[in-house]
Amino acid sequence: MPLDKQINPQIKKIHPYIPGKTIEEVAQQNRLKPAQVLKLASNENVLGPSPKAVAAVKESCKRLHLYPDGSGKALKIKIAQQLKVKPNQVLLGNGSNELLEFVCKAFVRPGDEVVVPEITFSMYNAFATLAGAKIKKVSLTDYVLDTNKLLKAVNKKTKIVFLCNPNNPTGTVISHESIKKLIRALPEKVIVVLDEAYGDFRSGKGMAQSQEFLRRENVLLLRTFSKIFGLASLRIGYGLAHPKLADLLNRVRQPFNVNGVAQAAACAGFADKSHQSKSKQLVRAGKKVLEKKLKELNLLVLPSEANFVCVRVGNSKKVSEAMQKEGVVIRPLGSFGLKAFIRITIGTAAQNRRVIKSLKRALKK
Ligand SMILES: Cc1ncc(COP(=O)(O)O)c(C=O)c1O
């Protein structure tokens, strides 16, 4: 097939991202009404978006005929003021996914290497491979990344090191001290991407502490509006970096990469502290109950600081299929390399009760 020969060989090495099924798909396949389907598979905010973000979306629709602010000035200023950084340290992306793409495009050339944890979010691997990198995987130790082990995988060819904290799909965290030590030990030319998509759910200082790394030119912190802010559908994420790194990454982006509706919603959502703390509280309380119930079933539950739990259930494909038939959608983790595990997004109290009941039935089958 001629196309096969024409295509960039790196593209043959990657597979399309397989997202979880939509509520409508699950409903149709199992002869249910969409309202009967409970989706706890993609770590979305079960409270939905902030009402203030929704109001901002409505208002922004009056300007749909205009190009958005290509520099995202208002949102950058809002983020910068709140996080005590400079606006020229803030990057905006069409989801934080796009910022991952930028960093790979900007720094990776064919033949370079990147280092990633063996079990983590798949897009690090995908974007780096597309850019021509060889991927070096570091296995987890007791489901946590050992930064000393990671350091050993770094060599002269290494361009980027990816860290996911808390890690998707395990929910486990690497301590601030370990990351600090790692960054100090790495050559300054190696870019460190610290993906904190789930950082907003952490207890303690968490994300605020990692901002101390921004003194370095080689650190990119990635965050998203898709999780605690409940704006996954709008596709918007942000990054924080040293102004020099931010400037380089900004050269890679398209002129209007983040749409105006998303910018308006993110501005309003970012300011709505009450929605953020309600969401965090719901996750914290729900996680406690879920963990307890799961442990009562004698299942291994990994310690999670994210808005999901990672649980060992045996045959995760079989279990998730049985649950899906009842309209309960969770994520089997075979594609992440954890065949025996599922990932459950923390829901409301009633949703958590339903997921446990459904899981109990599935385990008996
Ligand atoms: C660890 C991690 N990073 C980044 C993303 C991408 O988020 P988004 O592109 O929606 O901002 C996700 C999405 O699930 C994720 O789990």
Side-chain angles (χ1 to χ4, degrees), residues 95-97 121 124 164 168 195 197-198 224 226-227 235:
S96 55
N97 262 339
F121 185 51
Y124 313 139
C164 187
N168 178 12
D195 184 347
Y198 301 98
T224 182
S226 301
K227 306 299 174 186
R235 311 304 304 127

PDB file of all heavy atoms in Angstrom, residues 95-97 121 124 164 168 195 197-198 224 226-227 235, ligand 1:
ATOM      1  N   GLY A  95      -6.317  22.209  26.038  1.00  0.00           N
ATOM      2  CA  GLY A  95      -6.096  21.103  26.958  1.00  0.00           C
ATOM      3  C   GLY A  95      -4.610  21.098  27.313  1.00  0.00           C
ATOM      4  O   GLY A  95      -3.791  21.616  26.536  1.00  0.00           O
ATOM      5  N   SER A  96      -4.270  20.533  28.467  1.00  0.00           N
ATOM      6  CA  SER A  96      -2.833  20.476  28.789  1.00  0.00           C
ATOM      7  C   SER A  96      -2.139  19.517  27.819  1.00  0.00           C
ATOM      8  O   SER A  96      -0.931  19.591  27.612  1.00  0.00           O
ATOM      9  CB  SER A  96      -2.600  20.079  30.243  1.00  0.00           C
ATOM     10  OG  SER A  96      -3.244  18.876  30.549  1.00  0.00           O
ATOM     11  N   ASN A  97      -2.931  18.654  27.185  1.00  0.00           N
ATOM     12  CA  ASN A  97      -2.395  17.792  26.124  1.00  0.00           C
ATOM     13  C   ASN A  97      -1.625  18.583  25.070  1.00  0.00           C
ATOM     14  O   ASN A  97      -0.593  18.145  24.583  1.00  0.00           O
ATOM     15  CB  ASN A  97      -3.559  17.121  25.386  1.00  0.00           C
ATOM     16  CG  ASN A  97      -3.789  15.728  25.892  1.00  0.00           C
ATOM     17  OD1 ASN A  97      -2.900  15.122  26.481  1.00  0.00           O
ATOM     18  ND2 ASN A  97      -4.961  15.211  25.670  1.00  0.00           N
ATOM     19  N   PHE A 121       0.217   8.248  32.136  1.00  0.00           N
ATOM     20  CA  PHE A 121      -0.615   8.817  31.085  1.00  0.00           C
ATOM     21  C   PHE A 121       0.066   8.591  29.725  1.00  0.00           C
ATOM     22  O   PHE A 121       1.254   8.879  29.571  1.00  0.00           O
ATOM     23  CB  PHE A 121      -0.753  10.312  31.381  1.00  0.00           C
ATOM     24  CG  PHE A 121      -1.674  11.060  30.471  1.00  0.00           C
ATOM     25  CD1 PHE A 121      -2.958  10.607  30.222  1.00  0.00           C
ATOM     26  CD2 PHE A 121      -1.264  12.238  29.869  1.00  0.00           C
ATOM     27  CE1 PHE A 121      -3.815  11.313  29.400  1.00  0.00           C
ATOM     28  CE2 PHE A 121      -2.115  12.958  29.043  1.00  0.00           C
ATOM     29  CZ  PHE A 121      -3.394  12.489  28.810  1.00  0.00           C
ATOM     30  N   TYR A 124       2.466  11.201  26.875  1.00  0.00           N
ATOM     31  CA  TYR A 124       3.903  11.569  26.878  1.00  0.00           C
ATOM     32  C   TYR A 124       4.601  10.745  25.789  1.00  0.00           C
ATOM     33  O   TYR A 124       5.359  11.261  24.969  1.00  0.00           O
ATOM     34  CB  TYR A 124       4.566  11.279  28.232  1.00  0.00           C
ATOM     35  CG  TYR A 124       3.799  11.748  29.442  1.00  0.00           C
ATOM     36  CD1 TYR A 124       3.712  10.963  30.592  1.00  0.00           C
ATOM     37  CD2 TYR A 124       3.143  12.973  29.435  1.00  0.00           C
ATOM     38  CE1 TYR A 124       3.014  11.392  31.703  1.00  0.00           C
ATOM     39  CE2 TYR A 124       2.440  13.403  30.538  1.00  0.00           C
ATOM     40  CZ  TYR A 124       2.371  12.597  31.666  1.00  0.00           C
ATOM     41  OH  TYR A 124       1.663  13.009  32.758  1.00  0.00           O
ATOM     42  N   CYS A 164       4.488  12.527  36.380  1.00  0.00           N
ATOM     43  CA  CYS A 164       3.053  12.763  36.525  1.00  0.00           C
ATOM     44  C   CYS A 164       2.747  12.673  38.017  1.00  0.00           C
ATOM     45  O   CYS A 164       2.908  11.614  38.616  1.00  0.00           O
ATOM     46  CB  CYS A 164       2.310  11.682  35.747  1.00  0.00           C
ATOM     47  SG  CYS A 164       0.548  11.927  35.635  1.00  0.00           S
ATOM     48  N   ASN A 168      -1.333   9.320  36.982  1.00  0.00           N
ATOM     49  CA  ASN A 168      -2.484   8.660  36.360  1.00  0.00           C
ATOM     50  C   ASN A 168      -1.928   7.389  35.716  1.00  0.00           C
ATOM     51  O   ASN A 168      -1.006   7.500  34.909  1.00  0.00           O
ATOM     52  CB  ASN A 168      -3.094   9.582  35.283  1.00  0.00           C
ATOM     53  CG  ASN A 168      -4.252   8.939  34.558  1.00  0.00           C
ATOM     54  OD1 ASN A 168      -4.760   7.907  34.976  1.00  0.00           O
ATOM     55  ND2 ASN A 168      -4.658   9.555  33.462  1.00  0.00           N
ATOM     56  N   ASP A 195       3.733  17.029  35.292  1.00  0.00           N
ATOM     57  CA  ASP A 195       2.308  17.093  34.969  1.00  0.00           C
ATOM     58  C   ASP A 195       1.496  17.000  36.260  1.00  0.00           C
ATOM     59  O   ASP A 195       1.477  15.958  36.920  1.00  0.00           O
ATOM     60  CB  ASP A 195       1.965  15.940  34.003  1.00  0.00           C
ATOM     61  CG  ASP A 195       0.531  15.986  33.533  1.00  0.00           C
ATOM     62  OD1 ASP A 195      -0.282  16.724  34.107  1.00  0.00           O
ATOM     63  OD2 ASP A 195       0.212  15.256  32.567  1.00  0.00           O
ATOM     64  N   ALA A 197      -1.899  17.500  36.547  1.00  0.00           N
ATOM     65  CA  ALA A 197      -3.319  17.543  36.164  1.00  0.00           C
ATOM     66  C   ALA A 197      -4.238  17.278  37.367  1.00  0.00           C
ATOM     67  O   ALA A 197      -5.337  17.814  37.449  1.00  0.00           O
ATOM     68  CB  ALA A 197      -3.598  16.528  35.054  1.00  0.00           C
ATOM     69  N   TYR A 198      -3.751  16.427  38.295  1.00  0.00           N
ATOM     70  CA  TYR A 198      -4.576  16.079  39.464  1.00  0.00           C
ATOM     71  C   TYR A 198      -4.061  16.748  40.743  1.00  0.00           C
ATOM     72  O   TYR A 198      -4.495  16.412  41.852  1.00  0.00           O
ATOM     73  CB  TYR A 198      -4.616  14.546  39.646  1.00  0.00           C
ATOM     74  CG  TYR A 198      -5.189  13.878  38.424  1.00  0.00           C
ATOM     75  CD1 TYR A 198      -4.350  13.329  37.451  1.00  0.00           C
ATOM     76  CD2 TYR A 198      -6.561  13.854  38.199  1.00  0.00           C
ATOM     77  CE1 TYR A 198      -4.870  12.767  36.292  1.00  0.00           C
ATOM     78  CE2 TYR A 198      -7.085  13.295  37.051  1.00  0.00           C
ATOM     79  CZ  TYR A 198      -6.245  12.759  36.102  1.00  0.00           C
ATOM     80  OH  TYR A 198      -6.772  12.224  34.952  1.00  0.00           O
ATOM     81  N   THR A 224      -4.466  21.679  34.464  1.00  0.00           N
ATOM     82  CA  THR A 224      -5.599  21.620  33.532  1.00  0.00           C
ATOM     83  C   THR A 224      -6.887  22.170  34.132  1.00  0.00           C
ATOM     84  O   THR A 224      -7.067  22.155  35.354  1.00  0.00           O
ATOM     85  CB  THR A 224      -5.821  20.164  33.072  1.00  0.00           C
ATOM     86  OG1 THR A 224      -6.889  20.156  32.127  1.00  0.00           O
ATOM     87  CG2 THR A 224      -6.179  19.226  34.214  1.00  0.00           C
ATOM     88  N   SER A 226      -9.577  20.725  33.097  1.00  0.00           N
ATOM     89  CA  SER A 226     -10.476  19.593  32.811  1.00  0.00           C
ATOM     90  C   SER A 226     -10.904  18.817  34.049  1.00  0.00           C
ATOM     91  O   SER A 226     -11.862  18.059  33.996  1.00  0.00           O
ATOM     92  CB  SER A 226      -9.782  18.592  31.881  1.00  0.00           C
ATOM     93  OG  SER A 226      -9.416  19.187  30.683  1.00  0.00           O
ATOM     94  N   LYS A 227     -10.176  18.954  35.147  1.00  0.00           N
ATOM     95  CA  LYS A 227     -10.450  18.088  36.298  1.00  0.00           C
ATOM     96  C   LYS A 227     -11.208  18.864  37.382  1.00  0.00           C
ATOM     97  O   LYS A 227     -12.411  18.932  37.325  1.00  0.00           O
ATOM     98  CB  LYS A 227      -9.133  17.488  36.803  1.00  0.00           C
ATOM     99  CG  LYS A 227      -8.328  16.764  35.709  1.00  0.00           C
ATOM    100  CD  LYS A 227      -9.055  15.604  35.086  1.00  0.00           C
ATOM    101  CE  LYS A 227      -8.285  15.016  33.911  1.00  0.00           C
ATOM    102  NZ  LYS A 227      -9.033  13.993  33.200  1.00  0.00           N
ATOM    103  N   ARG A 235     -11.693  22.047  26.512  1.00  0.00           N
ATOM    104  CA  ARG A 235     -10.301  21.836  26.139  1.00  0.00           C
ATOM    105  C   ARG A 235      -9.430  23.047  26.486  1.00  0.00           C
ATOM    106  O   ARG A 235      -9.133  23.879  25.626  1.00  0.00           O
ATOM    107  CB  ARG A 235     -10.158  21.489  24.635  1.00  0.00           C
ATOM    108  CG  ARG A 235     -11.059  20.424  24.101  1.00  0.00           C
ATOM    109  CD  ARG A 235     -10.931  19.123  24.866  1.00  0.00           C
ATOM    110  NE  ARG A 235      -9.554  18.663  24.889  1.00  0.00           N
ATOM    111  CZ  ARG A 235      -8.910  18.351  26.029  1.00  0.00           C
ATOM    112  NH1 ARG A 235      -9.495  18.465  27.213  1.00  0.00           N
ATOM    113  NH2 ARG A 235      -7.675  17.929  25.974  1.00  0.00           N
TER     114      ARG A 235
HETATM  115  C1  LIG B   1      -2.104  13.059  33.809  1.00  0.00           C
HETATM  116  C2  LIG B   1      -2.861  13.772  32.760  1.00  0.00           C
HETATM  117  N1  LIG B   1      -2.273  14.777  32.117  1.00  0.00           N
HETATM  118  C3  LIG B   1      -2.908  15.465  31.162  1.00  0.00           C
HETATM  119  C4  LIG B   1      -4.197  15.142  30.814  1.00  0.00           C
HETATM  120  C5  LIG B   1      -4.832  15.909  29.708  1.00  0.00           C
HETATM  121  O1  LIG B   1      -5.763  16.777  30.182  1.00  0.00           O
HETATM  122  P1  LIG B   1      -6.405  17.897  29.273  1.00  0.00           P
HETATM  123  O2  LIG B   1      -5.800  17.810  27.905  1.00  0.00           O
HETATM  124  O3  LIG B   1      -7.854  17.619  29.302  1.00  0.00           O
HETATM  125  O4  LIG B   1      -6.034  19.183  29.956  1.00  0.00           O
HETATM  126  C6  LIG B   1      -4.856  14.103  31.449  1.00  0.00           C
HETATM  127  C7  LIG B   1      -6.223  13.743  31.077  1.00  0.00           C
HETATM  128  O5  LIG B   1      -6.846  12.874  31.562  1.00  0.00           O
HETATM  129  C8  LIG B   1      -4.167  13.393  32.444  1.00  0.00           C
HETATM  130  O6  LIG B   1      -4.729  12.360  33.074  1.00  0.00           O
END
